[in-house]
Coordinates of all heavy atoms in Angstrom, one line a residue:
M1 N 0.8 -1.2 0.0 CA 0.0 0.0 0.0 C 0.9 1.3 0.0 O 0.5 2.3 -0.5 CB -0.9 0.0 1.2 CG -2.2 -0.8 1.1 SD -2.9 -0.8 -0.5 CE -4.5 0.0 -0.2
A2 N 2.1 1.2 0.6 CA 2.9 2.4 0.6 C 3.3 2.8 -0.8 O 3.3 4.0 -1.1 CB 4.2 2.0 1.3
A3 N 3.5 1.8 -1.7 CA 3.8 2.1 -3.1 C 2.6 2.8 -3.7 O 2.8 3.8 -4.5 CB 4.2 0.9 -3.9
I4 N 1.4 2.4 -3.4 CA 0.2 3.0 -4.0 C 0.1 4.4 -3.5 O -0.2 5.3 -4.3 CB -1.0 2.2 -3.6 CG1 -1.0 0.8 -4.3 CG2 -2.3 2.9 -4.0 CD1 -2.1 -0.1 -4.0
A5 N 0.3 4.6 -2.2 CA 0.2 6.0 -1.7 C 1.3 6.9 -2.3 O 1.0 8.1 -2.7 CB 0.5 6.0 -0.1
L6 N 2.4 6.4 -2.6 CA 3.5 7.2 -3.2 C 3.1 7.5 -4.6 O 3.2 8.7 -5.0 CB 4.8 6.4 -3.2 CG 6.0 7.1 -3.9 CD1 6.4 8.3 -3.1 CD2 7.2 6.1 -4.0
L7 N 2.5 6.6 -5.3 CA 2.1 6.8 -6.7 C 1.0 7.8 -6.7 O 0.9 8.7 -7.5 CB 1.6 5.5 -7.4 CG 2.8 4.7 -8.0 CD1 2.3 3.3 -8.3 CD2 3.3 5.4 -9.2
A8 N 0.1 7.7 -5.7 CA -1.0 8.6 -5.6 C -0.5 10.1 -5.5 O -1.0 11.0 -6.1 CB -1.9 8.3 -4.5
A9 N 0.5 10.2 -4.7 CA 1.1 11.5 -4.5 C 1.7 12.0 -5.8 O 1.6 13.2 -6.1 CB 2.2 11.5 -3.4
L10 N 2.2 11.1 -6.6 CA 2.7 11.6 -7.9 C 1.6 11.9 -8.9 O 1.7 12.8 -9.7 CB 3.6 10.4 -8.5 CG 4.9 10.1 -7.8 CD1 5.5 8.9 -8.5 CD2 5.8 11.3 -7.9
V11 N 0.5 11.2 -8.8 CA -0.5 11.3 -9.8 C -1.5 12.4 -9.5 O -1.9 13.1 -10.4 CB -1.3 9.9 -9.9 CG1 -2.6 10.1 -10.7 CG2 -0.4 8.8 -10.4
T12 N -2.0 12.6 -8.2 CA -3.1 13.4 -8.0 C -2.8 15.0 -8.0 O -3.7 15.7 -8.4 CB -3.8 13.1 -6.7 OG1 -2.9 12.5 -5.8 CG2 -4.9 12.1 -6.9
P13 N -1.7 15.4 -7.7 CA -1.5 16.9 -7.6 C -1.7 17.6 -9.0 O -2.0 18.7 -9.1 CB -0.1 17.2 -7.1 CG 0.3 15.9 -6.6 CD -0.4 14.8 -7.3
A14 N -1.4 16.8 -10.0 CA -1.5 17.4 -11.4 C -2.9 18.0 -11.6 O -3.9 17.5 -11.1 CB -1.3 16.3 -12.4
A15 N -3.0 19.0 -12.3 CA -4.3 19.7 -12.6 C -5.1 18.8 -13.6 O -5.2 17.6 -13.4 CB -4.0 21.1 -13.1
A16 N -5.7 19.5 -14.5 CA -6.7 18.8 -15.4 C -6.0 17.7 -16.3 O -6.5 16.6 -16.4 CB -7.4 19.8 -16.3
E17 N -4.8 18.0 -16.8 CA -4.2 17.1 -17.7 C -3.6 15.9 -17.0 O -2.7 16.1 -16.1 CB -3.0 17.8 -18.4 CG -3.4 18.4 -19.8 CD -4.2 17.5 -20.7 OE1 -3.6 16.5 -21.2 OE2 -5.4 17.8 -20.9
P18 N -4.1 14.7 -17.3 CA -3.5 13.5 -16.6 C -2.1 13.4 -16.9 O -1.6 13.6 -18.0 CB -4.3 12.4 -17.1 CG -5.6 12.9 -17.7 CD -5.2 14.3 -18.1
D19 N -1.3 13.0 -15.9 CA 0.1 12.7 -16.2 C 0.2 11.2 -16.7 O 0.2 10.3 -16.0 CB 0.9 12.8 -14.8 CG 2.4 12.5 -15.0 OD1 2.8 11.9 -16.0 OD2 3.1 12.8 -14.0
T20 N 0.2 11.1 -18.0 CA 0.1 9.8 -18.7 C 1.2 8.9 -18.3 O 1.0 7.7 -18.2 CB -0.1 10.0 -20.2 OG1 1.0 10.6 -20.7 CG2 -1.3 10.8 -20.5
K21 N 2.4 9.4 -18.2 CA 3.5 8.5 -17.8 C 3.3 7.9 -16.5 O 3.6 6.7 -16.3 CB 4.8 9.3 -17.8 CG 5.4 9.6 -19.2 CD 6.7 8.8 -19.3 CE 7.3 8.8 -20.8 NZ 6.6 9.5 -21.8
A22 N 2.9 8.7 -15.5 CA 2.6 8.2 -14.1 C 1.5 7.2 -14.2 O 1.5 6.2 -13.5 CB 2.3 9.4 -13.2
L23 N 0.4 7.5 -15.0 CA -0.7 6.6 -15.0 C -0.3 5.3 -15.7 O -0.8 4.2 -15.2 CB -1.9 7.2 -15.8 CG -2.6 8.4 -15.1 CD1 -3.6 9.0 -16.0 CD2 -3.2 7.9 -13.8
E24 N 0.5 5.3 -16.7 CA 0.9 4.1 -17.3 C 1.7 3.2 -16.3 O 1.5 2.0 -16.3 CB 1.8 4.4 -18.5 CG 2.0 3.3 -19.5 CD 2.6 3.7 -20.8 OE1 2.8 4.9 -21.1 OE2 2.8 2.8 -21.6
R25 N 2.6 3.9 -15.5 CA 3.3 3.2 -14.5 C 2.3 2.5 -13.5 O 2.5 1.4 -13.0 CB 4.3 4.1 -13.8 CG 5.7 4.1 -14.3 CD 6.7 4.6 -13.3 NE 6.3 5.9 -12.7 CZ 6.5 7.1 -13.3 NH1 7.1 7.2 -14.4 NH2 6.1 8.2 -12.7
L26 N 1.3 3.3 -13.1 CA 0.3 2.8 -12.1 C -0.4 1.6 -12.7 O -0.5 0.6 -11.9 CB -0.7 3.9 -11.8 CG -1.8 3.5 -10.9 CD1 -1.8 4.3 -9.6 CD2 -3.2 3.6 -11.5
V27 N -0.8 1.6 -13.9 CA -1.4 0.5 -14.5 C -0.5 -0.7 -14.5 O -0.9 -1.8 -14.1 CB -1.9 0.8 -16.0 CG1 -2.4 -0.5 -16.6 CG2 -3.0 1.8 -15.9
R28 N 0.7 -0.5 -14.9 CA 1.7 -1.6 -15.0 C 2.0 -2.2 -13.6 O 2.1 -3.4 -13.4 CB 3.0 -1.2 -15.7 CG 2.8 -0.9 -17.1 CD 2.7 -2.2 -17.9 NE 2.1 -1.9 -19.2 CZ 1.9 -2.9 -20.1 NH1 2.1 -4.2 -19.8 NH2 1.3 -2.6 -21.2
Q29 N 2.3 -1.3 -12.7 CA 2.7 -1.8 -11.4 C 1.6 -2.1 -10.4 O 1.6 -3.2 -9.8 CB 3.7 -0.7 -10.8 CG 4.9 -0.6 -11.6 CD 5.8 0.6 -11.1 OE1 5.6 1.2 -10.1 NE2 6.9 0.9 -11.9
D30 N 0.7 -1.2 -10.2 CA -0.4 -1.4 -9.2 C -1.5 -2.4 -9.8 O -1.8 -3.3 -9.1 CB -1.0 -0.1 -8.8 CG 0.1 0.7 -7.9 OD1 0.9 1.4 -8.5 OD2 0.0 0.5 -6.7
C31 N -2.0 -2.0 -10.9 CA -3.0 -2.9 -11.5 C -2.3 -4.2 -11.8 O -2.9 -5.3 -11.6 CB -3.6 -2.3 -12.8 SG -4.2 -0.6 -12.6
G32 N -1.1 -4.1 -12.3 CA -0.3 -5.3 -12.7 C 0.0 -6.2 -11.6 O 0.2 -7.4 -11.8
S33 N 0.0 -5.7 -10.4 CA 0.3 -6.6 -9.2 C -0.8 -7.6 -9.0 O -0.5 -8.7 -8.5 CB 0.5 -5.7 -7.9 OG -0.7 -5.2 -7.5
C34 N -2.0 -7.3 -9.5 CA -3.0 -8.3 -9.4 C -3.4 -8.9 -10.8 O -3.7 -10.1 -10.9 CB -4.3 -7.7 -8.8 SG -4.3 -7.5 -7.0
H35 N -3.3 -8.1 -11.8 CA -3.8 -8.5 -13.1 C -2.6 -9.0 -14.0 O -2.8 -9.4 -15.1 CB -4.5 -7.4 -13.8 CG -5.8 -7.0 -13.2 ND1 -7.0 -7.7 -13.4 CD2 -6.2 -6.1 -12.3 CE1 -8.0 -7.2 -12.7 NE2 -7.5 -6.2 -12.0
G36 N -1.4 -9.0 -13.4 CA -0.3 -9.5 -14.2 C 0.4 -8.4 -14.9 O -0.2 -7.4 -15.3
L37 N 1.7 -8.5 -15.0 CA 2.5 -7.4 -15.5 C 2.1 -7.1 -17.0 O 2.2 -5.9 -17.4 CB 4.0 -7.7 -15.5 CG 4.7 -7.4 -14.2 CD1 6.2 -7.8 -14.3 CD2 4.6 -5.9 -13.8
T38 N 1.7 -8.1 -17.7 CA 1.2 -7.8 -19.1 C -0.3 -7.8 -19.1 O -0.9 -7.8 -20.2 CB 1.7 -8.9 -20.0 OG1 1.3 -10.2 -19.6 CG2 3.3 -8.9 -20.1
L39 N -0.9 -7.7 -17.9 CA -2.4 -7.5 -17.8 C -3.2 -8.7 -18.2 O -4.4 -8.6 -18.4 CB -2.9 -6.2 -18.5 CG -2.1 -5.0 -18.1 CD1 -2.7 -3.8 -18.9 CD2 -2.1 -4.7 -16.6
K40 N -2.5 -9.9 -18.4 CA -3.2 -11.0 -19.0 C -3.8 -11.9 -17.9 O -4.4 -12.9 -18.1 CB -2.4 -11.8 -20.0 CG -1.2 -12.5 -19.4 CD -0.6 -13.4 -20.5 CE 0.4 -14.4 -19.9 NZ 1.8 -13.9 -20.0
G41 N -3.8 -11.4 -16.6 CA -4.4 -12.1 -15.6 C -3.5 -12.6 -14.5 O -2.3 -13.0 -14.8
G42 N -3.9 -12.7 -13.3 CA -3.1 -13.2 -12.2 C -4.2 -13.5 -11.1 O -5.1 -14.3 -11.3
L43 N -4.1 -12.8 -10.0 CA -5.1 -12.8 -9.0 C -6.4 -12.3 -9.6 O -7.5 -12.8 -9.4 CB -4.7 -12.0 -7.7 CG -5.8 -11.7 -6.7 CD1 -6.3 -13.0 -6.1 CD2 -5.3 -10.8 -5.7
G44 N -6.3 -11.2 -10.3 CA -7.4 -10.6 -11.0 C -7.5 -11.1 -12.5 O -6.5 -11.7 -12.9
P45 N -8.6 -10.9 -13.1 CA -8.7 -11.5 -14.5 C -7.9 -10.7 -15.6 O -7.4 -9.7 -15.3 CB -10.2 -11.3 -14.8 CG -10.7 -10.2 -13.9 CD -9.8 -10.2 -12.7
D46 N -7.8 -11.3 -16.7 CA -7.3 -10.7 -17.9 C -8.0 -9.4 -18.2 O -9.2 -9.3 -18.3 CB -7.5 -11.7 -19.1 CG -6.8 -11.3 -20.4 OD1 -6.5 -10.2 -20.6 OD2 -6.6 -12.2 -21.2
I47 N -7.2 -8.3 -18.3 CA -7.8 -7.0 -18.6 C -7.2 -6.4 -19.9 O -7.1 -5.2 -20.1 CB -7.8 -6.0 -17.5 CG1 -6.3 -5.8 -16.9 CG2 -8.7 -6.4 -16.3 CD1 -6.2 -4.6 -16.0
R48 N -6.8 -7.3 -20.8 CA -6.3 -6.8 -22.1 C -7.6 -6.6 -23.0 O -8.7 -7.0 -22.6 CB -5.4 -7.9 -22.8 CG -4.1 -8.0 -22.1 CD -3.3 -9.2 -22.7 NE -4.0 -10.4 -22.4 CZ -3.6 -11.6 -23.0 NH1 -2.5 -11.7 -23.7 NH2 -4.3 -12.7 -22.7
P49 N -7.5 -5.8 -24.0 CA -8.6 -5.3 -24.8 C -9.6 -6.5 -25.2 O -10.8 -6.3 -25.0 CB -8.0 -4.7 -26.0 CG -6.7 -4.3 -25.7 CD -6.2 -5.3 -24.6
Q50 N -9.1 -7.6 -25.6 CA -9.9 -8.7 -26.1 C -10.8 -9.3 -25.0 O -11.8 -9.8 -25.2 CB -9.2 -9.7 -26.8 CG -8.1 -10.5 -26.0 CD -6.7 -9.8 -26.1 OE1 -6.6 -8.6 -26.1 NE2 -5.7 -10.6 -26.0
A51 N -10.3 -9.1 -23.7 CA -11.0 -9.6 -22.6 C -12.0 -8.6 -22.0 O -12.8 -8.9 -21.1 CB -10.1 -10.0 -21.5
L52 N -12.0 -7.4 -22.6 CA -12.9 -6.3 -22.1 C -14.0 -5.9 -23.0 O -14.6 -4.8 -22.9 CB -12.1 -5.1 -21.7 CG -11.1 -5.2 -20.6 CD1 -10.2 -4.0 -20.3 CD2 -11.8 -5.6 -19.3
N53 N -14.4 -6.9 -23.9 CA -15.4 -6.6 -24.9 C -16.8 -6.2 -24.3 O -17.5 -5.5 -24.9 CB -15.7 -7.9 -25.7 CG -14.6 -8.2 -26.7 OD1 -13.9 -7.3 -27.1 ND2 -14.4 -9.5 -27.0
H54 N -17.0 -6.7 -23.1 CA -18.3 -6.5 -22.4 C -18.3 -5.1 -21.7 O -19.3 -4.8 -21.1 CB -18.6 -7.6 -21.4 CG -17.5 -7.9 -20.4 ND1 -16.3 -8.3 -20.8 CD2 -17.5 -7.7 -19.1 CE1 -15.5 -8.5 -19.7 NE2 -16.2 -8.1 -18.7
H55 N -17.3 -4.3 -21.9 CA -17.2 -3.0 -21.3 C -17.1 -1.9 -22.3 O -16.6 -2.1 -23.4 CB -16.0 -2.9 -20.4 CG -16.1 -3.5 -19.1 ND1 -16.9 -3.1 -18.1 CD2 -15.5 -4.6 -18.5 CE1 -16.8 -3.8 -17.0 NE2 -16.0 -4.8 -17.3
D56 N -17.7 -0.7 -22.0 CA -17.4 0.5 -22.8 C -16.6 1.4 -21.9 O -16.4 1.1 -20.7 CB -18.6 1.1 -23.4 CG -19.6 1.5 -22.4 OD1 -19.3 1.7 -21.2 OD2 -20.8 1.6 -22.7
R57 N -16.2 2.6 -22.4 CA -15.5 3.5 -21.7 C -16.1 3.9 -20.3 O -15.5 3.9 -19.3 CB -15.3 4.7 -22.5 CG -14.4 5.8 -22.0 CD -14.6 7.1 -22.8 NE -13.4 7.8 -22.9 CZ -13.3 9.1 -23.2 NH1 -14.4 9.7 -23.4 NH2 -12.2 9.7 -23.2
D58 N -17.4 4.1 -20.4 CA -18.1 4.5 -19.1 C -18.2 3.4 -18.1 O -17.9 3.7 -16.9 CB -19.6 4.9 -19.5 CG -19.7 6.3 -20.2 OD1 -18.6 7.0 -20.2 OD2 -20.7 6.6 -20.7
S59 N -18.5 2.2 -18.5 CA -18.7 1.1 -17.5 C -17.3 0.8 -16.9 O -17.2 0.5 -15.7 CB -19.3 -0.1 -18.1 OG -18.4 -0.7 -19.1
L60 N -16.3 0.9 -17.8 CA -14.9 0.6 -17.3 C -14.4 1.7 -16.3 O -13.8 1.4 -15.3 CB -14.0 0.6 -18.5 CG -12.8 -0.3 -18.4 CD1 -13.1 -1.7 -17.9 CD2 -12.1 -0.4 -19.7
T61 N -14.7 3.0 -16.6 CA -14.4 4.1 -15.8 C -15.0 3.9 -14.4 O -14.4 4.0 -13.3 CB -14.8 5.4 -16.4 OG1 -14.1 5.6 -17.6 CG2 -14.3 6.6 -15.5
T62 N -16.3 3.6 -14.4 CA -17.0 3.4 -13.1 C -16.4 2.2 -12.3 O -16.2 2.3 -11.1 CB -18.5 3.1 -13.4 OG1 -19.0 4.2 -14.2 CG2 -19.3 3.0 -12.2
L63 N -16.1 1.1 -13.1 CA -15.6 0.0 -12.4 C -14.2 0.3 -11.7 O -13.9 -0.1 -10.6 CB -15.4 -1.2 -13.4 CG -15.0 -2.5 -12.9 CD1 -15.7 -3.6 -13.7 CD2 -13.5 -2.7 -12.8
I64 N -13.4 1.1 -12.4 CA -12.1 1.5 -11.9 C -12.3 2.3 -10.7 O -11.6 2.2 -9.6 CB -11.2 2.2 -13.0 CG1 -10.8 1.2 -14.1 CG2 -10.0 2.8 -12.3 CD1 -10.3 1.8 -15.3
L65 N -13.2 3.3 -10.7 CA -13.4 4.2 -9.6 C -14.0 3.5 -8.4 O -13.7 3.8 -7.3 CB -14.3 5.4 -10.1 CG -13.6 6.4 -11.0 CD1 -14.6 7.4 -11.5 CD2 -12.4 7.1 -10.3
D66 N -15.0 2.6 -8.7 CA -15.7 2.0 -7.6 C -15.2 0.6 -7.2 O -15.6 0.1 -6.1 CB -17.2 1.9 -7.9 CG -17.8 3.3 -8.0 OD1 -17.3 4.2 -7.4 OD2 -18.8 3.4 -8.7
G67 N -14.4 0.0 -8.0 CA -14.0 -1.4 -7.7 C -15.1 -2.4 -7.9 O -16.2 -2.0 -8.4
V68 N -14.9 -3.6 -7.5 CA -15.9 -4.6 -7.5 C -16.2 -5.1 -6.1 O -15.4 -5.8 -5.5 CB -15.5 -5.8 -8.4 CG1 -16.7 -6.9 -8.5 CG2 -15.1 -5.4 -9.8
P69 N -17.2 -4.5 -5.5 CA -17.5 -4.8 -4.0 C -17.5 -6.3 -3.8 O -18.0 -7.1 -4.6 CB -18.8 -4.2 -3.8 CG -19.0 -3.1 -4.8 CD -18.3 -3.7 -6.1
G70 N -16.9 -6.7 -2.7 CA -16.9 -8.1 -2.3 C -15.8 -8.9 -2.9 O -15.8 -10.1 -2.8
T71 N -15.0 -8.3 -3.8 CA -13.8 -9.0 -4.4 C -12.6 -8.2 -4.0 O -12.6 -7.2 -3.4 CB -14.0 -9.0 -5.9 OG1 -13.6 -7.7 -6.4 CG2 -15.4 -9.4 -6.4
A72 N -11.4 -8.7 -4.5 CA -10.2 -8.1 -4.2 C -10.0 -6.8 -5.1 O -9.0 -6.0 -4.8 CB -9.0 -9.0 -4.5
M73 N -10.8 -6.6 -6.0 CA -10.7 -5.4 -6.9 C -11.1 -4.1 -6.1 O -12.3 -3.9 -5.8 CB -11.6 -5.5 -8.1 CG -11.6 -4.3 -9.0 SD -10.0 -3.9 -9.7 CE -10.3 -2.3 -10.5
P74 N -10.1 -3.3 -5.8 CA -10.3 -2.2 -4.9 C -10.9 -1.0 -5.7 O -10.7 -0.8 -6.9 CB -8.9 -1.8 -4.4 CG -8.0 -2.2 -5.4 CD -8.7 -3.4 -6.2
P75 N -11.6 -0.1 -4.9 CA -12.0 1.2 -5.6 C -10.8 2.1 -5.7 O -10.1 2.3 -4.7 CB -13.1 1.8 -4.6 CG -12.8 1.1 -3.3 CD -12.0 -0.2 -3.5
W76 N -10.7 2.8 -6.8 CA -9.5 3.7 -7.0 C -9.9 5.2 -6.9 O -9.1 6.0 -7.0 CB -8.9 3.4 -8.4 CG -8.3 2.0 -8.4 CD1 -8.9 0.9 -8.6 CD2 -6.9 1.7 -8.0 NE1 -8.0 -0.2 -8.5 CE2 -6.8 0.3 -8.1 CE3 -5.8 2.5 -7.6 CZ2 -5.6 -0.3 -7.8 CZ3 -4.6 1.8 -7.4 CH2 -4.5 0.4 -7.5
R77 N -11.2 5.4 -6.5 CA -11.6 6.8 -6.4 C -10.8 7.6 -5.4 O -10.5 8.8 -5.7 CB -13.1 6.8 -6.0 CG -13.8 8.1 -6.2 CD -15.3 8.1 -5.8 NE -16.1 7.2 -6.5 CZ -16.6 7.5 -7.7 NH1 -16.3 8.6 -8.3 NH2 -17.4 6.6 -8.3
P78 N -10.3 7.0 -4.3 CA -9.5 7.9 -3.4 C -8.2 8.3 -4.1 O -7.5 9.3 -3.6 CB -9.2 6.9 -2.2 CG -10.2 5.8 -2.3 CD -10.6 5.7 -3.8
L79 N -7.7 7.6 -5.1 CA -6.4 7.9 -5.7 C -6.5 8.5 -7.0 O -5.5 9.2 -7.5 CB -5.6 6.6 -5.8 CG -5.4 5.8 -4.5 CD1 -4.5 4.5 -4.9 CD2 -4.7 6.6 -3.5
L80 N -7.6 8.4 -7.7 CA -7.6 8.9 -9.1 C -8.7 9.9 -9.3 O -9.8 9.7 -8.8 CB -7.8 7.7 -10.1 CG -6.8 6.6 -10.1 CD1 -7.3 5.4 -11.0 CD2 -5.5 7.1 -10.6
S81 N -8.5 10.9 -10.2 CA -9.6 11.8 -10.6 C -10.4 11.1 -11.6 O -10.0 10.1 -12.2 CB -9.0 13.1 -11.1 OG -8.3 12.8 -12.3
D82 N -11.6 11.6 -12.0 CA -12.4 11.1 -13.1 C -11.6 11.1 -14.3 O -11.6 10.1 -15.1 CB -13.6 11.9 -13.3 CG -14.7 11.7 -12.2 OD1 -14.4 11.0 -11.2 OD2 -15.7 12.3 -12.2
E83 N -10.8 12.1 -14.6 CA -10.1 12.2 -15.9 C -9.0 11.1 -15.9 O -8.8 10.5 -17.0 CB -9.4 13.6 -16.0 CG -10.3 14.8 -16.2 CD -11.1 15.1 -15.0 OE1 -10.7 14.8 -13.9 OE2 -12.2 15.7 -15.2
E84 N -8.4 10.9 -14.8 CA -7.4 9.8 -14.8 C -8.0 8.4 -15.0 O -7.4 7.6 -15.7 CB -6.6 9.9 -13.5 CG -5.7 11.1 -13.4 CD -5.2 11.4 -12.0 OE1 -5.8 11.0 -11.0 OE2 -4.2 12.2 -11.9
A85 N -9.2 8.2 -14.4 CA -9.8 6.9 -14.6 C -10.3 6.7 -16.0 O -10.2 5.6 -16.6 CB -11.0 6.8 -13.6
I86 N -10.7 7.8 -16.6 CA -11.1 7.7 -18.0 C -9.9 7.4 -18.9 O -10.0 6.6 -19.8 CB -11.8 9.1 -18.5 CG1 -13.2 9.2 -17.8 CG2 -11.9 9.1 -20.0 CD1 -13.8 10.6 -18.0
W87 N -8.8 8.1 -18.6 CA -7.6 7.8 -19.3 C -7.2 6.3 -19.2 O -6.9 5.7 -20.2 CB -6.4 8.7 -18.9 CG -5.2 8.5 -19.7 CD1 -4.9 9.3 -20.8 CD2 -4.2 7.5 -19.6 NE1 -3.7 8.8 -21.4 CE2 -3.3 7.8 -20.6 CE3 -3.9 6.5 -18.7 CZ2 -2.1 7.0 -20.8 CZ3 -2.8 5.7 -18.8 CH2 -1.9 6.0 -19.9
I88 N -7.3 5.8 -18.0 CA -6.9 4.4 -17.9 C -7.9 3.5 -18.6 O -7.5 2.5 -19.2 CB -6.9 4.0 -16.4 CG1 -5.7 4.7 -15.7 CG2 -6.8 2.5 -16.2 CD1 -5.7 4.5 -14.2
A89 N -9.2 3.8 -18.6 CA -10.2 3.0 -19.3 C -9.9 3.0 -20.8 O -9.9 1.9 -21.4 CB -11.6 3.6 -19.1
D90 N -9.6 4.2 -21.4 CA -9.2 4.2 -22.8 C -7.9 3.4 -23.0 O -7.8 2.7 -24.0 CB -8.9 5.7 -23.2 CG -10.2 6.4 -23.4 OD1 -11.3 5.8 -23.7 OD2 -10.2 7.7 -23.4
Y91 N -7.0 3.5 -22.1 CA -5.7 2.8 -22.2 C -5.9 1.3 -22.3 O -5.3 0.6 -23.1 CB -4.8 3.2 -21.0 CG -3.4 2.6 -21.0 CD1 -2.4 3.1 -21.8 CD2 -3.1 1.6 -20.1 CE1 -1.1 2.6 -21.7 CE2 -1.9 1.1 -20.0 CZ -0.9 1.6 -20.8 OH 0.4 1.1 -20.7
L92 N -6.8 0.8 -21.4 CA -7.1 -0.6 -21.4 C -7.8 -1.0 -22.6 O -7.5 -2.1 -23.2 CB -7.9 -1.0 -20.1 CG -7.2 -0.8 -18.8 CD1 -8.1 -1.2 -17.7 CD2 -5.9 -1.6 -18.7
L93 N -8.8 -0.2 -23.1 CA -9.6 -0.6 -24.2 C -8.8 -0.6 -25.5 O -9.0 -1.4 -26.4 CB -10.8 0.3 -24.3 CG -11.9 0.1 -23.3 CD1 -13.0 1.2 -23.3 CD2 -12.6 -1.3 -23.4
N94 N -7.9 0.4 -25.6 CA -7.1 0.5 -26.8 C -5.9 -0.4 -26.9 O -5.3 -0.5 -27.9 CB -6.7 2.0 -27.0 CG -7.9 2.8 -27.3 OD1 -8.9 2.4 -27.9 ND2 -7.8 4.1 -26.8
G95 N -5.6 -0.9 -25.7 CA -4.4 -1.8 -25.7 C -3.2 -1.1 -25.3 O -2.7 -0.2 -26.0
A96 N -2.6 -1.5 -24.2 CA -1.3 -1.0 -23.8 C -0.3 -1.6 -24.7 O -0.4 -2.8 -25.1 CB -1.1 -1.4 -22.3
E97 N 0.7 -0.9 -25.0 CA 1.8 -1.4 -25.9 C 2.6 -2.5 -25.1 O 2.9 -2.2 -23.9 CB 2.8 -0.3 -26.3 CG 2.0 0.9 -26.7 CD 2.3 1.3 -28.2 OE1 3.5 1.1 -28.6 OE2 1.5 1.9 -28.8
E98 N 2.8 -3.6 -25.7 CA 3.5 -4.6 -25.0 C 5.0 -4.4 -25.0 O 5.5 -3.8 -26.0 CB 3.3 -6.0 -25.7 CG 1.8 -6.4 -25.7 CD 1.4 -7.0 -24.4 OE1 2.2 -7.8 -23.8 OE2 0.2 -6.8 -23.9
Ligands
HEC101 C1 -5.7 -6.2 -5.1 C2 -5.8 -6.8 -6.4 C3 -6.3 -5.9 -7.5 C4 -5.8 -4.7 -7.9 C5 -4.6 -3.9 -7.3 C6 -6.5 -4.3 -9.1 N1 -7.4 -5.2 -9.4 FE1 -8.8 -5.2 -10.9 N2 -9.7 -6.9 -10.3 C7 -9.2 -7.6 -9.2 C8 -10.1 -8.8 -9.1 C9 -10.0 -9.9 -8.1 C10 -11.1 -8.6 -10.1 C11 -12.3 -9.6 -10.4 C12 -13.5 -9.1 -9.6 C13 -14.7 -10.0 -9.9 O1 -14.6 -11.2 -9.4 O2 -15.6 -9.6 -10.6 C14 -10.8 -7.4 -10.8 C15 -11.5 -7.0 -11.9 C16 -11.1 -5.9 -12.7 C17 -11.8 -5.5 -13.9 C18 -13.1 -6.2 -14.5 C19 -12.7 -7.2 -15.6 C20 -13.9 -7.6 -16.3 O3 -13.7 -8.5 -17.1 O4 -15.0 -7.1 -16.0 C21 -11.1 -4.5 -14.4 C22 -11.4 -3.8 -15.7 C23 -10.0 -4.2 -13.5 N3 -10.1 -5.1 -12.5 C24 -9.1 -3.2 -13.7 C25 -8.2 -2.8 -12.8 C26 -7.4 -1.6 -12.9 C27 -7.4 -0.6 -14.0 C28 -6.6 -1.6 -11.8 C29 -5.5 -0.5 -11.4 C30 -6.0 0.8 -11.4 C31 -6.9 -2.8 -11.0 N4 -7.9 -3.5 -11.6 C32 -6.3 -3.1 -9.8 C33 -8.1 -7.4 -8.4 C34 -7.3 -6.2 -8.5

């Protein structure tokens, strides 16, 4: 959790423009700690684009902000702004570069 808090400190003070480099690191390191470094699944499911067909940008943004109650998927609202969550949703849907 210390690493997450540190990343949050890097990510949140930015104004409207998301810090895409920091967000990309967050996806790889924090999301990747459960979903796998290449996002193809680990403790959490595969979240590469082909596995997210049942989501659109809005549903994915909400899921990232609120998490999945009753599972290990945490809510990221305390750490991410709406803009940052939307950026991550797009990043996941469009495919992170391998
Ligand atoms: C502590 C472990 C953990 C972390 C960290 C985590 N997740 Fe998850 N995530 C899960 C689990 C477990 C599920 C499956 C929940 C369920 O059973 O529905 C999940 C589900 C998801 C889903 C839904 C997949 C689908 O097919 O509907 C998405 C999208 C997702 N996570 C994205 C993220 C993103 C983006 C991050 C980083 C900001 C993240 N997760 C961080 C554990 C984690």
Side-chain angles (χ1 to χ4, degrees):
M1 280 320 248
I4 293 177
L6 179 64
L7 276 166
L10 292 174
V11 172
T12 28
E17 269 312 293
D19 179 346
T20 58
K21 282 249 170 357
L23 288 176
E24 194 166 359
R25 266 200 310 278
L26 176 119
V27 171
R28 291 286 162 182
Q29 294 175 7
D30 290 87
C31 312
S33 69
C34 282
H35 291 279
L37 275 183
T38 56
L39 308 180
K40 67 173 191 266
L43 168 67
D46 189 336
I47 53 170
R48 289 174 298 173
Q50 62 270 35
L52 294 176
N53 288 334
H54 54 294
H55 281 291
D56 59 22
R57 184 194 215 200
D58 285 350
S59 70
L60 209 50
T61 301
T62 304
L63 189 148
I64 292 166
L65 288 172
D66 293 336
V68 183
T71 75
M73 175 64 189
W76 292 86
R77 199 181 293 283
L79 301 182
L80 298 173
S81 68
D82 287 2
E83 289 73 23
E84 289 165 341
I86 290 168
W87 186 90
I88 292 175
D90 282 339
Y91 181 78
L92 294 179
L93 288 171
N94 294 328
E97 316 238 330
E98 299 278 325

